[in-house]
Amino acid sequence: LNKPKKLRILAIHGYIQNADVFRKRTGSFRKYMKQLADFEFIDAPHIAKNVPTPSSSDADKGEGPYLAWWESDGNYLTTSNYIGLSESIDKICAFIKTEVFLLKYNFEKKIQVII
């Protein structure tokens, strides 16, 4: 019998995180999925602004750099003010250009299909 091919899942971290921190935070989930999927982690291209002062409740966030996929100019009523989003999309596209990913996993938004 042929062993089924594992899924390759692109893991995209949230705001004020990085690939290393996200890898650590998803450890038990990745262990659970070990037979089904391999995860690839990628860092956002921008340093996050307005990073809150660490507190004891932030201990699980790990070490910096604290990264962002985009920043907003504060006007949340329009989507035209997301600064750096284009560069982030370019980085992700370059990363997956030669790879085959069926899913992306974002800790904050669960699993989504990449189209």
Side-chain angles (χ1 to χ4, degrees):
L1 284 172
N2 290 337
K3 190 175 184 180
K5 189 174 182 179
K6 283 182 162 184
L7 293 174
R8 293 195 65 221
I9 298 175
L10 178 57
I12 299 174
H13 64 78
Y15 186 67
I16 310 177
Q17 243 185 49
N18 61 49
D20 257 3
V21 170
F22 192 36
R23 183 179 288 111
K24 291 172 186 172
R25 291 184 76 185
T26 59
S28 59
F29 179 71
R30 288 184 295 113
K31 184 177 179 181
Y32 177 77
M33 297 292 291
K34 188 176 183 177
Q35 301 299 317
L36 302 173
D38 291 320
F39 291 79
E40 297 287 337
F41 294 81
I42 184 174
D43 276 326
H46 308 290
I47 300 294
K49 298 176 183 172
N50 304 318
V51 177
T53 305
S55 68
S56 60
S57 64
D58 293 330
D60 70 327
K61 291 186 180 168
E63 297 296 319
Y66 301 109
L67 303 175
W69 294 101
W70 67 83
E71 295 284 344
S72 173
D73 67 358
N75 184 354
Y76 299 105
L77 299 177
T78 67
T79 58
S80 62
N81 296 316
Y82 291 112
I83 302 159
L85 179 59
S86 179
E87 294 89 346
S88 295
I89 291 170
D90 290 345
K91 181 172 183 172
I92 292 169
C93 288
F95 187 81
I96 64 175
K97 191 175 187 177
T98 59
E99 305 289 335
V100 176
F101 291 96
L102 298 178
L103 303 171
K104 76 166 186 156
Y105 181 77
N106 179 309
F107 188 73
E108 295 164 356
K109 296 188 180 172
K110 308 302 179 225
I111 295 177
Q112 301 172 348
V113 175
I114 290 183
I115 297 173

